[in-house]
Amino acid sequence: MKKIMRVVMQGEPFAVQSQKAEGGQLMKCNIVLQELGGKFEDSYVAAMLGALATCRFYAGDLVYTVLRFQTREYNGQVFQDILAQDVVKINSIK
């Protein structure tokens, strides 16, 4: 999904173990994004990985986002993951 959204909040980046990353560790950070429109628009919690996780965004920032949605099954339950593939700051709302 490609969309312009507003940043609600961003957590602090932290290192996680990854066999795919050079050095065995990868930075990860969660960000809460909300669709534009009103106070009660849909919100998404997405994971930012690698270099993107070290970028800092603030509440109210308008960003262009590319989100990837994935589902997986584990023990008969279905889980959904949202990955922020790209987040680019457009402007700030104060």
Side-chain angles (χ1 to χ4, degrees), residues 12-79:
E12 294 298 320
F14 57 94
V16 294
Q17 299 296 322
S18 174
Q19 295 176 353
K20 296 179 181 179
E22 190 173 315
Q25 286 194 337
L26 181 69
M27 294 304 288
K28 180 178 180 180
C29 180
N30 291 321
I31 188 167
V32 180
L33 301 165
Q34 185 178 39
E35 292 182 354
L36 299 179
K39 184 177 179 180
F40 301 105
E41 295 298 324
D42 290 338
S43 296
Y44 304 90
V45 178
M48 299 190 303
L49 301 175
L52 185 58
T54 60
C55 296
R56 191 72 193 147
F57 300 98
Y58 299 95
D61 284 351
L62 287 182
V63 292
Y64 170 76
T65 61
V66 178
L67 302 178
R68 185 175 74 198
F69 296 82
Q70 298 175 318
T71 59
R72 57 188 164 80
E73 184 180 344
Y74 180 74
N75 284 342
Q77 293 183 316
V78 178
F79 297 91

